[in-house]
């Protein structure tokens, strides 16, 4: 167990370092030298604790934490799309869906309501219209809002290299 947790990887048959040199296990060094190890989502934290760094977790269980540094998708939606946010609040009969995700389950009871579907389409169309006007103003390109828009935006935390569609 101690050898598996070592920050030094010894050369061995079939998996040698450059010219048989010892290698530094950078992830192990990071765990040993850090006050905390953060899995940015509960699922990732569990993978770290029960999987790839189980031995370290058994040694230093308090080091392993789960903290998010970003915005929850619901809070992001509330800020980025106020019209849809208001519609969700009406459909869920509560403004608290942003902090209480279970409230979004209420949408199951109303999602087939033709009135709600019309309101949903109106919100989407209004947002497309705002985007088309912005693109025309900034780029001089006029868009037909009846076209399909496929927009990719870099996520707030660029280092995660994720895209939102």
């Amino acid at each position: 167990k101690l050898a598996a947790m070592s920050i030094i990887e010894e050369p061995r048959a079939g998996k040698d370092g450059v010219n048989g040199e010892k290698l530094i296990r950078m992830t192990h060094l990071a765990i040993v030298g850090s006050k905390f190890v953060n899995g940015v989502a509960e699922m990732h934290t569990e993978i770290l604790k029960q999987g790839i760094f189980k031995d370290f977790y058994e040694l230093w269980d308090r080091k392993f934490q789960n903290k998010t540094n970003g915005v929850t998708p619901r809070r992001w939606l509330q800020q980025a799309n106020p019209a849809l946010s208001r519609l969700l609040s009406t459909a869920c009969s509560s403004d608290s869906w942003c902090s209480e995700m279970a409230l979004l389950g209420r949408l199951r009871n109303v999602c087939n309501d033709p009135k709600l579907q019309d309101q949903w389409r109106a919100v989407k169309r209004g947002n497309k219209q705002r985007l088309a006007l912005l693109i025309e103003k900034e780029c001089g390109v006029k868009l037909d809002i009846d076209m399909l828009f496929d927009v990719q935006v870099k996520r707030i935390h660029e280092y995660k290299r994720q895209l939102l569609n």
Side-chain angles (χ1 to χ4, degrees), residues 6 10 12 16-18 26 34-35 38 46 49 56 65 74-75 85 88 94-95 99 109 117 123 127 134 143 150 163:
S6 173
E10 300 289 338
R12 56 184 180 188
D16 289 342
V18 177
M26 296 305 289
S34 298
K35 185 173 181 178
N38 186 30
E46 290 307 311
K49 290 174 6 181
F56 288 102
Q65 299 187 2
R74 295 178 309 280
R75 280 188 24 230
S85 190
L88 288 173
S94 174
D95 291 333
S99 57
N109 301 327
Q117 291 175 354
V123 166
N127 287 335
L134 178 67
L143 299 176
D150 182 10
L163 298 174

Side-chain angles (χ1 to χ4, degrees), residues 78-109:
Q78 198 173 43
Q79 295 294 311
N81 196 339
L84 181 57
S85 190
R86 285 189 297 275
L87 181 59
L88 288 173
S89 294
T90 300
C92 292
S93 303
S94 174
D95 291 333
S96 299
W97 58 268
C98 184
S99 57
E100 299 173 46
M101 189 166 99
L103 290 175
L104 289 172
R106 295 178 179 177
L107 292 172
R108 288 186 190 101
N109 301 327

